């Protein structure tokens, strides 16, 4: 049957065009005259481009109709590997009479590994000339298109051009070990919300290792149920994909399985959504066993409802963004086996969470306060952790550099200490599968004594980012915890913003850290008192209890006992005085 844009074409004409499939050609003819004449005739009748795919045996495999300026070039899946041509050449018409190949045509030649591509200029119903291109030697691992001169229709070097196909195939085989697969995947971004959201999506794509070559924003109140952007826009994006030689489409929202399948069928390349992209980054970042288990559980939880029979989702066995990690092998197993694996993962993660609970109780017994760094991704939390504790954790200008929680001990200038924990960064549209999978890890923030809400003050959108952070904290039940707003990266701006109660710092340069530490001390020890006690040597058990459950700031031995300066809660002080007597409280307390 005839494919493509059939709107407004008479059924009788379409039936007549189907005769193109029955034409038989000699294998040594690149573009048979009778085929060109028929294509010119039908192009003149409908004033639209027509493409015909021909195998090396001379069989017509596909006939498609476009519009007056373009024609869809569906991928012919006869390719044996990227190191061989696909075994199919494409002839298509240009109704404006100009046979010159476009950039879209040449990119399709490279991307689809076509044997050749040729454009036929048509004026009225007469062919004016032909322009062809073949794949040549590779540059940086990618074969380059080699164009012929414009040739009159009656002077096509049929045998010579067929020989060039064999030469192209030979070149691909001989240079097949060149590192084409090492180049970044070229991505086109698609969204319906805002430029700001697409800008963040671009940062995510680059973090995952993609090269963003184009961005498309189509303002819509809600996504189209079938194709996310609508059929007409999807077809326009398909041409952009060919023109930019894209490897993939990245959509700025979660897609259903049906939306993904429909879009891939239209644009002809892999389509992934924002959630899949974030999961891919997490796969790359996970280092510890718990982190890897959590990412695998998030991937499988997200993929399970999107397995749609033998659709696109089950066919991604190639490498690249969206196929890394456990998802690459788990997509082909049955729902039953996925559910079994999810059950096993939850059990393992729960066991690790139980171990963390024991460690947390031990810290609580030792009365060491816990302060958690929380905030949007790439706001400088890890840099701040390093500045306060010399933790030495990786801190780069990239999204989601910290995935596994890191805890370090920090000493306060006026005595005492606390544990500082760095948590995974948040982001708008944070996948629910990730929140659920990382819930046990994020509990470190939910159960901390104090939260430091770290924001990038140099980002114009930092208040909206803070709202995202507060939303996730609310979902974790930590929205009412004691917190300090920390405005980081003030060194990157002339006039830092004024936010009531916030501490302005530069973690990279060390500015404002003393002020931050003083405020942390005030917050975590607000309910505590600092006193000096004289403890008789006969009451050594009280001194041991203070060392275990309070913060001993100073200690010296005297004739009547041990003089200690200690910071502790009022209830613990009352318990100590009930044993020691009120006279143990020294007058120079505080």
């Amino acid at each position: 049957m005839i494919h493509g844009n059939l709107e407004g074409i008479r059924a009788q004409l379409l039936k007549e065009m189907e005769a193109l499939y029955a034409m038989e050609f000699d294998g040594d003819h690149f573009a048979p005259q009778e085929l060109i004449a028929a294509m010119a005739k039908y192009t003149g009748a409908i004033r639209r481009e027509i493409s015909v795919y021909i195998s090396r045996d001379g069989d017509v495999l596909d006939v498609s109709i476009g519009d007056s300026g373009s024609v869809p070039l569906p991928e012919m899946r006869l390719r044996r590997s990227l190191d061989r041509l696909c075994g199919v050449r494409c002839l298509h018409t240009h109704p404006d009479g100009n046979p010159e190949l476009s950039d879209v045509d040449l990119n399709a030649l490279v991307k689809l590994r076509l044997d050749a591509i040729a454009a036929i200029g048509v004026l009225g119903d007469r062919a004016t000339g032909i322009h062809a291109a073949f794949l040549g030697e590779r540059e940086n691992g990618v074969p380059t298109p080699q164009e012929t001169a414009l040739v009159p229709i009656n002077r096509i070097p049929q045998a010579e051009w067929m020989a060039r196909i064999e030469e192209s195939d030979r070149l691909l085989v001989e240079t097949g070990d060149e590192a084409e697969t090492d180049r970044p995947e070229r991505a086109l971004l698609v969204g319906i919300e805002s430029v700001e959201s697409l800008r963040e999506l671009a940062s995510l794509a680059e973090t995952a290792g993609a090269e963003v070559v184009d961005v498309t924003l189509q303002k819509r109140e809600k996504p189209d149920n079938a194709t996310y952007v609508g059929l007409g826009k999807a077809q326009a994006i398909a041409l952009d994909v060919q023109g930019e030689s894209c490897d993939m489409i990245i959509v700025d929202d979660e897609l259903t399985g049906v939306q993904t399948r429909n879009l891939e069928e239209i644009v002809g390349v892999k389509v992934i959504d924002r959630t899949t992209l974030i999961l891919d980054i997490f796969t790359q970042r996970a280092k510890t066993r718990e982190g890897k288990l959590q990412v695998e559980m998030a991937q499988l939880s997200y993929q399970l409802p999107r397995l749609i029979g033998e659709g696109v989702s089950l066919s991604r066995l190639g490498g690249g963004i969206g196929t890394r990690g456990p998802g690459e092998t788990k997509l082909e197993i049955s729902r039953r086996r996925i559910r079994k694996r999810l059950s096993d993962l939850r059990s393992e993660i729960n066991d690790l969470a139980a171990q963390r609970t024991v460690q947390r109780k031990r810290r609580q017994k030792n009365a060491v306060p816990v302060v958690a760094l929380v905030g949007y991704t790439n706001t400088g939390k890890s840099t701040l952790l390093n500045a306060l504790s010399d933790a030495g954790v990786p801190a780069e200008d990239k999204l989601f550099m910290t995935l596994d929680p890191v805890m370090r001990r920090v000493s306060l200038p006026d005595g005492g200490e606390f544990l500082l924990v760095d948590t995974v960064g948040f982001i708008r549209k944070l996948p629910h599968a990730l929140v659920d999978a990382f819930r046990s890890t994020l509990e470190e923030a939910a159960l901390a004594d104090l939260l430091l809400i770290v924001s990038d003050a140099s980002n114009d959108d930092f208040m909206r980012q803070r709202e995202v952070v507060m939303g996730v904290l609310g979902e974790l039940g930590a929205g009412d915890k004691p917190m300090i707003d920390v405005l980081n990266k003030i060194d990157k701006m002339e006039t830092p913003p004024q936010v009531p109660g916030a501490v302005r710092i530069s973690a990279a340069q060390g500015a404002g850290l003393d002020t931050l530490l003083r405020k942390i001390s005030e917050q975590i020890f607000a309910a505590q008192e600092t006193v000096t006690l004289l403890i008789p040597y006969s009451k050594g058990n009280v001194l041991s209890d203070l060392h275990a459950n309070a913060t001993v700031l100073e200690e010296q031995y005297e004739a009547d006992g041990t003089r200690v300066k200690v910071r502790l809660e009022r209830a613990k002080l009352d318990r100590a005085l009930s044993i020691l007597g009120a006279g143990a409280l020294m007058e120079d307390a505080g």
Side-chain angles (χ1 to χ4, degrees):
M1 63 179 293
I2 309 298
H3 302 106
N5 180 15
L6 310 183
E7 185 177 356
I9 302 177
R10 292 181 293 107
Q12 180 60 37
L13 182 57
L14 290 174
K15 184 175 181 180
E16 183 180 334
M17 291 179 64
E18 290 181 1
L20 292 172
Y21 285 104
M23 286 188 171
E24 296 182 359
F25 315 116
D26 292 337
D28 60 352
H29 275 61
F30 179 89
Q33 294 294 324
E34 58 270 36
L35 175 62
I36 292 177
M39 291 175 67
K41 170 187 171 183
Y42 296 132
T43 296
I46 64 177
R47 298 301 301 162
R48 302 178 193 176
E49 289 196 9
I50 297 174
S51 70
V52 174
Y53 280 89
I54 308 172
S55 71
R56 291 191 195 174
D57 294 332
D59 297 324
V60 174
L61 303 177
D62 182 87
V63 180
S64 296
I65 298 174
D67 54 34
S68 60
S70 62
V71 65
L73 299 178
E75 182 167 0
M76 302 305 294
R77 302 184 183 277
L78 302 184
R79 184 187 307 143
R80 288 157 284 181
S81 72
L82 288 176
D83 297 334
R84 302 299 299 266
L85 296 176
C86 75
V88 179
R89 61 188 181 276
C90 174
L91 309 182
H92 66 287
T93 58
H94 287 176
D96 60 0
N98 183 2
E100 290 190 12
L101 291 165
S102 66
D103 290 339
V104 170
D105 297 332
L106 297 177
N107 284 327
L109 171 69
V110 175
K111 183 172 182 55
L112 305 183
R113 293 296 191 273
L114 295 172
D115 281 4
I117 192 166
I120 301 165
V122 176
L123 276 180
D125 59 358
R126 181 178 59 85
T128 61
I130 187 171
H131 186 207
F134 306 81
L135 290 178
E137 294 184 355
R138 300 177 191 247
E139 292 183 5
N140 299 321
V142 180
T144 57
Q146 303 292 322
E147 302 175 54
T148 68
L150 299 182
V151 176
I153 291 300
N154 59 353
R155 296 183 183 176
I156 299 174
Q158 305 281 1
E160 179 183 332
W161 283 5
M162 291 302 295
R164 289 196 64 171
I165 292 175
E166 297 296 330
E167 175 66 10
S168 294
D169 215 6
R170 183 186 64 79
L171 287 172
L172 280 182
V173 172
E174 289 182 354
T175 59
D177 57 346
E178 295 189 21
E180 178 181 3
T181 56
D182 291 340
R183 70 175 178 86
E185 291 183 273
R186 294 169 59 83
L188 187 152
L189 311 186
V190 178
I192 62 174
E193 181 181 324
S194 65
V195 172
E196 292 75 20
S197 187
L198 280 173
R199 188 178 297 123
E200 184 173 86
L201 185 67
S203 296
L204 287 168
E206 290 165 358
T207 298
E211 176 187 356
V212 177
V213 297
D214 202 359
V215 173
T216 294
L217 174 65
Q218 185 193 39
K219 285 285 190 177
R220 298 177 64 99
E221 291 185 3
K222 62 179 182 179
D224 179 76
N225 290 333
T227 62
Y228 179 73
V229 291
L231 179 59
K233 187 63 175 178
Q235 291 172 337
I237 291 172
L239 292 176
D240 293 338
V241 166
Q242 292 180 5
E244 297 289 350
S245 191
C246 296
D247 302 302
M248 63 192 304
I249 297 288
I250 304 178
V251 175
D252 191 32
D253 285 291
E254 283 192 5
L255 296 177
T256 65
V258 171
Q259 287 172 325
T260 301
R261 179 181 61 188
N262 291 342
L263 264 179
E264 286 187 329
E265 289 178 351
I266 294 171
V267 302
V269 295
K270 175 174 62 177
V271 174
I272 67 171
D273 60 14
R274 184 186 181 96
T275 296
T276 302
L277 180 63
I278 293 174
L279 289 170
D280 185 273
I281 296 171
F282 272 54
T283 298
Q284 299 179 55
R285 294 282 190 264
K287 303 300 180 185
T288 65
R289 172 167 175 74
E290 184 175 13
K292 292 177 181 179
L293 291 174
Q294 289 169 326
V295 171
E296 182 177 358
M297 188 169 81
Q299 283 186 317
L300 294 181
S301 298
Y302 185 67
Q303 291 164 356
L304 182 58
R306 289 167 173 78
L307 297 181
I308 48 177
E310 296 299 320
V312 175
S313 296
L314 292 178
S315 64
R316 293 185 187 158
L317 297 181
I321 297 171
T323 63
R324 280 183 274 248
E328 184 174 353
T329 56
K330 299 298 185 293
L331 275 172
E332 283 195 326
I333 66 179
S334 67
R335 286 178 172 83
R336 179 184 58 80
R337 293 183 61 193
I338 289 181
R339 292 191 182 99
K340 175 64 168 59
R341 178 58 179 160
L342 282 171
S343 178
D344 293 342
L345 288 170
R346 289 191 185 95
S347 296
E348 292 188 67
I349 291 173
N350 288 339
D351 289 343
L352 292 171
Q355 296 176 22
R356 190 182 296 107
T357 299
V358 172
Q359 296 169 353
R360 189 182 299 121
K361 288 181 177 179
R362 188 179 300 121
R363 293 197 302 268
Q364 292 170 344
K365 180 179 179 181
N366 294 333
V368 182
V370 176
V371 178
L373 294 167
V374 296
Y376 213 76
T377 183
N378 203 32
T379 56
K381 297 185 299 299
S382 296
T383 302
L384 179 56
L385 177 72
N386 290 336
L388 293 177
S389 67
D390 296 324
V393 300
E396 300 179 32
D397 188 18
K398 294 180 179 179
L399 303 181
F400 298 118
M401 276 304 297
T402 299
L403 183 56
D404 302 300
V406 179
M407 186 172 290
R408 294 292 186 271
R409 195 174 293 267
V410 178
S411 298
L412 290 164
D414 58 346
E417 61 183 12
F418 63 91
L419 290 175
L420 184 62
V421 58
D422 188 11
T423 61
V424 62
F426 301 155
I427 198 168
R428 62 163 59 95
K429 305 177 187 177
L430 186 67
H432 287 288
L434 276 179
V435 176
D436 291 339
F438 281 78
R439 188 171 295 275
S440 61
T441 300
L442 292 171
E443 283 179 355
E444 293 292 349
L447 298 176
D449 300 286
L450 176 66
L451 303 180
L452 299 186
I453 311 299
V454 184
S455 300
D456 179 359
S458 66
N459 190 316
D460 295 336
D461 202 28
F462 83 90
M463 287 304 294
R464 185 176 177 184
Q465 292 181 350
R466 185 184 182 280
E467 291 175 3
V468 172
V469 173
M470 297 306 298
V472 177
L473 288 175
E475 188 175 343
L476 294 170
D480 57 351
K481 301 286 293 186
M483 58 186 65
I484 299 173
D485 271 302
V486 181
L487 302 184
N488 191 24
K489 304 186 184 182
I490 61 171
D491 55 301
K492 293 187 176 182
M493 51 197 321
E494 294 182 2
T495 308
Q498 299 290 333
V499 177
V503 180
R504 297 185 297 171
I505 70 165
S506 169
Q509 297 187 355
L513 297 186
D514 290 341
T515 302
L516 176 60
L517 286 173
R518 283 197 301 271
K519 195 155 187 175
I520 291 173
S521 180
E522 293 171 2
Q523 285 270 20
I524 61 179
F525 299 127
Q528 297 185 351
E529 298 182 37
T530 301
V531 299
T532 301
L533 299 172
L534 181 62
I535 303 174
Y537 291 117
S538 61
K539 305 288 187 176
N541 60 316
V542 176
L543 182 60
S544 298
D545 185 64
L546 291 176
H547 275 289
N549 298 302
T551 302
V552 177
L553 303 177
E554 296 176 8
E555 183 175 2
Q556 63 184 72
Y557 301 100
E558 299 182 353
D560 298 330
T562 306
R563 179 190 294 265
V564 293
K565 186 175 183 179
V566 61
R567 184 161 50 212
L568 74 174
E569 297 172 2
R570 184 69 207 187
K572 294 178 181 177
L573 174 60
D574 290 342
R575 185 169 66 248
L577 292 176
S578 69
I579 300 173
L580 300 173
L585 187 63
M586 308 300 291
E587 293 183 358
D588 60 345

